Amino acid sequence: MNYFILIILGLLILALIFFCLQLWKSANTLQKRYAGITNIQSEITATKVRLNQAKQALLEFEQDSQARESKLTQEVKQAESRYDSLKKEISSLEENLEDISFGLYKPHFSFKTSEEYKTALENLRNRERQLIRDGRAAVCPTHWTVGDSAKEGQKMIKQYTKLMLRAFNGECDAALANVSWNNIERMLERMRKSFEAVNQLGGVMNMSVTSDFLNLKQDELRLTYEYEEKRHQEKEEQRRISEQIREEEKAQQEIEKARLQAEREEQDYEKALNKAREEALQATGARLEKLTEQINSFEAKLDQARQNKQRAIARAQLTKSGFVYVISNIGSFGERVFKIGMTRRMEPMDRIDELSNASVPFPFDLHAMLYSDNAPELETALHKLVQDRKVNLVNPRKEFYREVKLEEIEAFVKDRGLSAQFIKVAEAKEYRETIAMRQQNSAATAAHA
């Protein structure tokens, strides 16, 4: 808009100059023609004066426009800076995951257990209390007087510094109550902002919270966060151990159940076999042939029952024996994602069925079931083989691995002298039927459209 006005003014000035030139030419002509009749020199002088005035006005207008533009640019920059500052302050108070720049928190302390963190946290809080008692948490170097009384001035300073500490501690307590893995850096920033705001309010009277107290409060925040993280890790470890104990108990119950069942079958078949043999001693002809067949059948079943009994006893004695399984769930996790786990169950497929419960949309498919006298060792070895492809790097209980080739697991197992049948292609029955039904539904919808 300013440039348009300048152009109009420029054109007007040019027109004025052109008019003046024409007027000057006409005046010269008239002066020559009517010399002595009139004198236009004074008019020309006046016109030149008006032209200079117009030029000066144009120059002043340009300078004023430039000054206003510079002022507006500076105001916009200040507004943008203020907006960014307010946005950061608001962000430090919000709990919005989408606004977070994710990063790994680097621990400041290296205690081994949650109890050590708890003790360190209590010691730090004692240091905070001591700093307050010593008058080094908030200070005022100015000696104020109230009503010409230094004593009343000291009382006022004590009250105001106490008020500042309460305000700052309130903000710190709010940060401590809300700290989590995704906002600890913002909570630290929030403490620092509160520290600056409180000190700014106390600046008029030259009162301030000390940096030593701020550092202690920020260490308290870090310790609180790391303490909770350590407790979480310990709970996860306890959960893992509890799950392992439950799995062991189930395995022992199954082994004991299998042993008792094998013993009952052994006793039943021994009785039936003895009875059939006694009857065969007195039988002849067709009856003898039938009893002979029964005797052979009872002997085979008795032998199988004894084998089952011995297997159950051996499994009970071999506390590390079990099965390592390799399973997948294409519908839930996609292609080439496998879970490698271990079970000591007598019927290992029961464990696979448990994993295929309501927590996943489709059941798991078995790719390999490997028996080993030392199943934990085999499981650990397989985990190390594909460790670099672990899906969850934080929780070691999640035994899922991506971009794994069954061929490398099979080759690794064979190198250890184990043999097992590997199913390369997952059946994924429910998932594949679901895909087919969706395609049929889409085709039917398109046909009716």
PDB file of all heavy atoms in Angstrom, residues 56-80:
ATOM      1  N   GLN A  56      10.342  17.689  -0.714  1.00  0.00           N
ATOM      2  CA  GLN A  56      10.642  17.512   0.703  1.00  0.00           C
ATOM      3  C   GLN A  56       9.560  16.692   1.404  1.00  0.00           C
ATOM      4  O   GLN A  56       9.846  15.829   2.238  1.00  0.00           O
ATOM      5  CB  GLN A  56      10.784  18.887   1.384  1.00  0.00           C
ATOM      6  CG  GLN A  56      11.198  18.823   2.843  1.00  0.00           C
ATOM      7  CD  GLN A  56      12.583  18.215   3.028  1.00  0.00           C
ATOM      8  OE1 GLN A  56      13.439  18.354   2.169  1.00  0.00           O
ATOM      9  NE2 GLN A  56      12.762  17.542   4.161  1.00  0.00           N
ATOM     10  N   ALA A  57       8.302  16.942   1.037  1.00  0.00           N
ATOM     11  CA  ALA A  57       7.177  16.183   1.627  1.00  0.00           C
ATOM     12  C   ALA A  57       7.281  14.698   1.261  1.00  0.00           C
ATOM     13  O   ALA A  57       7.030  13.815   2.081  1.00  0.00           O
ATOM     14  CB  ALA A  57       5.852  16.770   1.161  1.00  0.00           C
ATOM     15  N   LEU A  58       7.651  14.457  -0.017  1.00  0.00           N
ATOM     16  CA  LEU A  58       7.797  13.062  -0.461  1.00  0.00           C
ATOM     17  C   LEU A  58       8.926  12.362   0.303  1.00  0.00           C
ATOM     18  O   LEU A  58       8.789  11.211   0.738  1.00  0.00           O
ATOM     19  CB  LEU A  58       8.077  13.028  -1.968  1.00  0.00           C
ATOM     20  CG  LEU A  58       8.319  11.637  -2.578  1.00  0.00           C
ATOM     21  CD1 LEU A  58       7.106  10.738  -2.371  1.00  0.00           C
ATOM     22  CD2 LEU A  58       8.668  11.762  -4.067  1.00  0.00           C
ATOM     23  N   LEU A  59      10.037  13.047   0.509  1.00  0.00           N
ATOM     24  CA  LEU A  59      11.166  12.477   1.227  1.00  0.00           C
ATOM     25  C   LEU A  59      10.789  12.167   2.677  1.00  0.00           C
ATOM     26  O   LEU A  59      11.111  11.090   3.211  1.00  0.00           O
ATOM     27  CB  LEU A  59      12.341  13.458   1.186  1.00  0.00           C
ATOM     28  CG  LEU A  59      13.615  13.003   1.900  1.00  0.00           C
ATOM     29  CD1 LEU A  59      14.171  11.721   1.268  1.00  0.00           C
ATOM     30  CD2 LEU A  59      14.680  14.107   1.856  1.00  0.00           C
ATOM     31  N   GLU A  60      10.076  13.094   3.323  1.00  0.00           N
ATOM     32  CA  GLU A  60       9.645  12.872   4.700  1.00  0.00           C
ATOM     33  C   GLU A  60       8.677  11.688   4.794  1.00  0.00           C
ATOM     34  O   GLU A  60       8.725  10.899   5.750  1.00  0.00           O
ATOM     35  CB  GLU A  60       8.985  14.149   5.248  1.00  0.00           C
ATOM     36  CG  GLU A  60       9.975  15.293   5.457  1.00  0.00           C
ATOM     37  CD  GLU A  60       9.277  16.555   5.913  1.00  0.00           C
ATOM     38  OE1 GLU A  60       8.017  16.540   5.971  1.00  0.00           O
ATOM     39  OE2 GLU A  60       9.971  17.553   6.196  1.00  0.00           O
ATOM     40  N   PHE A  61       7.811  11.564   3.789  1.00  0.00           N
ATOM     41  CA  PHE A  61       6.852  10.438   3.778  1.00  0.00           C
ATOM     42  C   PHE A  61       7.592   9.102   3.663  1.00  0.00           C
ATOM     43  O   PHE A  61       7.248   8.124   4.340  1.00  0.00           O
ATOM     44  CB  PHE A  61       5.879  10.619   2.611  1.00  0.00           C
ATOM     45  CG  PHE A  61       4.874   9.509   2.495  1.00  0.00           C
ATOM     46  CD1 PHE A  61       3.774   9.458   3.335  1.00  0.00           C
ATOM     47  CD2 PHE A  61       5.053   8.490   1.561  1.00  0.00           C
ATOM     48  CE1 PHE A  61       2.855   8.428   3.228  1.00  0.00           C
ATOM     49  CE2 PHE A  61       4.148   7.467   1.454  1.00  0.00           C
ATOM     50  CZ  PHE A  61       3.033   7.433   2.297  1.00  0.00           C
ATOM     51  N   GLU A  62       8.604   9.062   2.785  1.00  0.00           N
ATOM     52  CA  GLU A  62       9.382   7.829   2.627  1.00  0.00           C
ATOM     53  C   GLU A  62      10.103   7.453   3.928  1.00  0.00           C
ATOM     54  O   GLU A  62      10.119   6.288   4.345  1.00  0.00           O
ATOM     55  CB  GLU A  62      10.400   7.995   1.501  1.00  0.00           C
ATOM     56  CG  GLU A  62       9.783   8.039   0.108  1.00  0.00           C
ATOM     57  CD  GLU A  62      10.831   8.278  -0.968  1.00  0.00           C
ATOM     58  OE1 GLU A  62      11.959   8.688  -0.594  1.00  0.00           O
ATOM     59  OE2 GLU A  62      10.531   8.051  -2.149  1.00  0.00           O
ATOM     60  N   GLN A  63      10.712   8.442   4.568  1.00  0.00           N
ATOM     61  CA  GLN A  63      11.407   8.185   5.827  1.00  0.00           C
ATOM     62  C   GLN A  63      10.453   7.691   6.917  1.00  0.00           C
ATOM     63  O   GLN A  63      10.754   6.772   7.666  1.00  0.00           O
ATOM     64  CB  GLN A  63      12.134   9.448   6.296  1.00  0.00           C
ATOM     65  CG  GLN A  63      13.292   9.849   5.394  1.00  0.00           C
ATOM     66  CD  GLN A  63      13.903  11.173   5.799  1.00  0.00           C
ATOM     67  OE1 GLN A  63      13.323  11.924   6.594  1.00  0.00           O
ATOM     68  NE2 GLN A  63      15.074  11.496   5.245  1.00  0.00           N
ATOM     69  N   ASP A  64       9.265   8.303   6.978  1.00  0.00           N
ATOM     70  CA  ASP A  64       8.270   7.888   7.963  1.00  0.00           C
ATOM     71  C   ASP A  64       7.787   6.461   7.696  1.00  0.00           C
ATOM     72  O   ASP A  64       7.603   5.656   8.622  1.00  0.00           O
ATOM     73  CB  ASP A  64       7.085   8.856   7.942  1.00  0.00           C
ATOM     74  CG  ASP A  64       6.042   8.509   8.986  1.00  0.00           C
ATOM     75  OD1 ASP A  64       6.374   8.530  10.182  1.00  0.00           O
ATOM     76  OD2 ASP A  64       4.891   8.194   8.588  1.00  0.00           O
ATOM     77  N   SER A  65       7.617   6.119   6.412  1.00  0.00           N
ATOM     78  CA  SER A  65       7.171   4.769   6.057  1.00  0.00           C
ATOM     79  C   SER A  65       8.217   3.721   6.437  1.00  0.00           C
ATOM     80  O   SER A  65       7.893   2.656   6.965  1.00  0.00           O
ATOM     81  CB  SER A  65       6.876   4.686   4.550  1.00  0.00           C
ATOM     82  OG  SER A  65       5.820   5.554   4.204  1.00  0.00           O
ATOM     83  N   GLN A  66       9.475   4.034   6.169  1.00  0.00           N
ATOM     84  CA  GLN A  66      10.555   3.109   6.527  1.00  0.00           C
ATOM     85  C   GLN A  66      10.641   2.917   8.040  1.00  0.00           C
ATOM     86  O   GLN A  66      10.854   1.803   8.530  1.00  0.00           O
ATOM     87  CB  GLN A  66      11.879   3.623   5.983  1.00  0.00           C
ATOM     88  CG  GLN A  66      11.981   3.557   4.459  1.00  0.00           C
ATOM     89  CD  GLN A  66      13.270   4.167   3.946  1.00  0.00           C
ATOM     90  OE1 GLN A  66      14.047   4.727   4.715  1.00  0.00           O
ATOM     91  NE2 GLN A  66      13.484   4.083   2.634  1.00  0.00           N
ATOM     92  N   ALA A  67      10.458   3.996   8.793  1.00  0.00           N
ATOM     93  CA  ALA A  67      10.511   3.910  10.254  1.00  0.00           C
ATOM     94  C   ALA A  67       9.367   3.045  10.787  1.00  0.00           C
ATOM     95  O   ALA A  67       9.557   2.200  11.683  1.00  0.00           O
ATOM     96  CB  ALA A  67      10.452   5.314  10.871  1.00  0.00           C
ATOM     97  N   ARG A  68       8.167   3.231  10.230  1.00  0.00           N
ATOM     98  CA  ARG A  68       7.017   2.431  10.669  1.00  0.00           C
ATOM     99  C   ARG A  68       7.206   0.963  10.309  1.00  0.00           C
ATOM    100  O   ARG A  68       6.873   0.071  11.097  1.00  0.00           O
ATOM    101  CB  ARG A  68       5.744   2.973  10.021  1.00  0.00           C
ATOM    102  CG  ARG A  68       5.303   4.334  10.556  1.00  0.00           C
ATOM    103  CD  ARG A  68       4.086   4.848   9.821  1.00  0.00           C
ATOM    104  NE  ARG A  68       2.968   3.944   9.998  1.00  0.00           N
ATOM    105  CZ  ARG A  68       1.819   4.041   9.307  1.00  0.00           C
ATOM    106  NH1 ARG A  68       1.698   4.980   8.371  1.00  0.00           N
ATOM    107  NH2 ARG A  68       0.836   3.194   9.536  1.00  0.00           N
ATOM    108  N   GLU A  69       7.744   0.689   9.119  1.00  0.00           N
ATOM    109  CA  GLU A  69       7.984  -0.695   8.718  1.00  0.00           C
ATOM    110  C   GLU A  69       9.004  -1.371   9.630  1.00  0.00           C
ATOM    111  O   GLU A  69       8.836  -2.528  10.036  1.00  0.00           O
ATOM    112  CB  GLU A  69       8.471  -0.727   7.272  1.00  0.00           C
ATOM    113  CG  GLU A  69       8.691  -2.147   6.742  1.00  0.00           C
ATOM    114  CD  GLU A  69       9.162  -2.153   5.303  1.00  0.00           C
ATOM    115  OE1 GLU A  69       9.315  -1.066   4.718  1.00  0.00           O
ATOM    116  OE2 GLU A  69       9.386  -3.252   4.761  1.00  0.00           O
ATOM    117  N   SER A  70      10.067  -0.653   9.970  1.00  0.00           N
ATOM    118  CA  SER A  70      11.080  -1.200  10.864  1.00  0.00           C
ATOM    119  C   SER A  70      10.491  -1.482  12.251  1.00  0.00           C
ATOM    120  O   SER A  70      10.772  -2.516  12.870  1.00  0.00           O
ATOM    121  CB  SER A  70      12.256  -0.222  10.976  1.00  0.00           C
ATOM    122  OG  SER A  70      13.216  -0.716  11.877  1.00  0.00           O
ATOM    123  N   LYS A  71       9.640  -0.575  12.728  1.00  0.00           N
ATOM    124  CA  LYS A  71       9.023  -0.743  14.042  1.00  0.00           C
ATOM    125  C   LYS A  71       8.094  -1.950  14.047  1.00  0.00           C
ATOM    126  O   LYS A  71       8.098  -2.756  14.986  1.00  0.00           O
ATOM    127  CB  LYS A  71       8.264   0.523  14.413  1.00  0.00           C
ATOM    128  CG  LYS A  71       7.635   0.459  15.792  1.00  0.00           C
ATOM    129  CD  LYS A  71       6.904   1.760  16.111  1.00  0.00           C
ATOM    130  CE  LYS A  71       6.256   1.673  17.492  1.00  0.00           C
ATOM    131  NZ  LYS A  71       5.509   2.915  17.816  1.00  0.00           N
ATOM    132  N   LEU A  72       7.287  -2.102  12.989  1.00  0.00           N
ATOM    133  CA  LEU A  72       6.372  -3.244  12.904  1.00  0.00           C
ATOM    134  C   LEU A  72       7.140  -4.568  12.835  1.00  0.00           C
ATOM    135  O   LEU A  72       6.739  -5.563  13.447  1.00  0.00           O
ATOM    136  CB  LEU A  72       5.463  -3.100  11.674  1.00  0.00           C
ATOM    137  CG  LEU A  72       4.375  -2.027  11.762  1.00  0.00           C
ATOM    138  CD1 LEU A  72       3.676  -1.866  10.420  1.00  0.00           C
ATOM    139  CD2 LEU A  72       3.353  -2.378  12.847  1.00  0.00           C
ATOM    140  N   THR A  73       8.239  -4.590  12.074  1.00  0.00           N
ATOM    141  CA  THR A  73       9.058  -5.812  11.978  1.00  0.00           C
ATOM    142  C   THR A  73       9.607  -6.208  13.344  1.00  0.00           C
ATOM    143  O   THR A  73       9.596  -7.386  13.718  1.00  0.00           O
ATOM    144  CB  THR A  73      10.216  -5.588  10.994  1.00  0.00           C
ATOM    145  OG1 THR A  73       9.685  -5.244   9.696  1.00  0.00           O
ATOM    146  CG2 THR A  73      11.055  -6.859  10.864  1.00  0.00           C
ATOM    147  N   GLN A  74      10.078  -5.226  14.102  1.00  0.00           N
ATOM    148  CA  GLN A  74      10.616  -5.488  15.436  1.00  0.00           C
ATOM    149  C   GLN A  74       9.529  -5.998  16.367  1.00  0.00           C
ATOM    150  O   GLN A  74       9.754  -6.922  17.165  1.00  0.00           O
ATOM    151  CB  GLN A  74      11.245  -4.202  15.992  1.00  0.00           C
ATOM    152  CG  GLN A  74      11.966  -4.400  17.315  1.00  0.00           C
ATOM    153  CD  GLN A  74      13.183  -5.303  17.185  1.00  0.00           C
ATOM    154  OE1 GLN A  74      13.766  -5.414  16.108  1.00  0.00           O
ATOM    155  NE2 GLN A  74      13.558  -5.945  18.273  1.00  0.00           N
ATOM    156  N   GLU A  75       8.326  -5.422  16.278  1.00  0.00           N
ATOM    157  CA  GLU A  75       7.214  -5.858  17.123  1.00  0.00           C
ATOM    158  C   GLU A  75       6.808  -7.291  16.794  1.00  0.00           C
ATOM    159  O   GLU A  75       6.471  -8.079  17.687  1.00  0.00           O
ATOM    160  CB  GLU A  75       6.022  -4.910  16.955  1.00  0.00           C
ATOM    161  CG  GLU A  75       6.243  -3.547  17.590  1.00  0.00           C
ATOM    162  CD  GLU A  75       5.067  -2.612  17.347  1.00  0.00           C
ATOM    163  OE1 GLU A  75       4.148  -3.005  16.592  1.00  0.00           O
ATOM    164  OE2 GLU A  75       5.059  -1.493  17.900  1.00  0.00           O
ATOM    165  N   VAL A  76       6.822  -7.646  15.493  1.00  0.00           N
ATOM    166  CA  VAL A  76       6.478  -9.014  15.089  1.00  0.00           C
ATOM    167  C   VAL A  76       7.494 -10.007  15.648  1.00  0.00           C
ATOM    168  O   VAL A  76       7.133 -11.070  16.159  1.00  0.00           O
ATOM    169  CB  VAL A  76       6.410  -9.118  13.549  1.00  0.00           C
ATOM    170  CG1 VAL A  76       6.340 -10.583  13.108  1.00  0.00           C
ATOM    171  CG2 VAL A  76       5.193  -8.365  13.017  1.00  0.00           C
ATOM    172  N   LYS A  77       8.788  -9.665  15.561  1.00  0.00           N
ATOM    173  CA  LYS A  77       9.826 -10.546  16.099  1.00  0.00           C
ATOM    174  C   LYS A  77       9.662 -10.739  17.610  1.00  0.00           C
ATOM    175  O   LYS A  77       9.806 -11.852  18.125  1.00  0.00           O
ATOM    176  CB  LYS A  77      11.210  -9.971  15.790  1.00  0.00           C
ATOM    177  CG  LYS A  77      11.593 -10.063  14.322  1.00  0.00           C
ATOM    178  CD  LYS A  77      12.990  -9.504  14.090  1.00  0.00           C
ATOM    179  CE  LYS A  77      13.395  -9.637  12.626  1.00  0.00           C
ATOM    180  NZ  LYS A  77      14.750  -9.059  12.374  1.00  0.00           N
ATOM    181  N   GLN A  78       9.368  -9.638  18.325  1.00  0.00           N
ATOM    182  CA  GLN A  78       9.171  -9.729  19.766  1.00  0.00           C
ATOM    183  C   GLN A  78       7.956 -10.598  20.103  1.00  0.00           C
ATOM    184  O   GLN A  78       7.992 -11.397  21.042  1.00  0.00           O
ATOM    185  CB  GLN A  78       9.014  -8.328  20.370  1.00  0.00           C
ATOM    186  CG  GLN A  78      10.291  -7.491  20.332  1.00  0.00           C
ATOM    187  CD  GLN A  78      10.060  -6.077  20.838  1.00  0.00           C
ATOM    188  OE1 GLN A  78       8.925  -5.675  21.099  1.00  0.00           O
ATOM    189  NE2 GLN A  78      11.154  -5.316  20.976  1.00  0.00           N
ATOM    190  N   ALA A  79       6.882 -10.436  19.304  1.00  0.00           N
ATOM    191  CA  ALA A  79       5.671 -11.236  19.529  1.00  0.00           C
ATOM    192  C   ALA A  79       5.938 -12.716  19.279  1.00  0.00           C
ATOM    193  O   ALA A  79       5.471 -13.585  20.029  1.00  0.00           O
ATOM    194  CB  ALA A  79       4.542 -10.738  18.631  1.00  0.00           C
ATOM    195  N   GLU A  80       6.695 -13.025  18.210  1.00  0.00           N
ATOM    196  CA  GLU A  80       7.021 -14.421  17.915  1.00  0.00           C
ATOM    197  C   GLU A  80       7.880 -15.026  19.032  1.00  0.00           C
ATOM    198  O   GLU A  80       7.688 -16.179  19.433  1.00  0.00           O
ATOM    199  CB  GLU A  80       7.761 -14.513  16.581  1.00  0.00           C
ATOM    200  CG  GLU A  80       6.872 -14.256  15.375  1.00  0.00           C
ATOM    201  CD  GLU A  80       7.647 -14.293  14.076  1.00  0.00           C
ATOM    202  OE1 GLU A  80       8.901 -14.255  14.140  1.00  0.00           O
ATOM    203  OE2 GLU A  80       7.022 -14.352  12.997  1.00  0.00           O
TER     204      GLU A  80
END
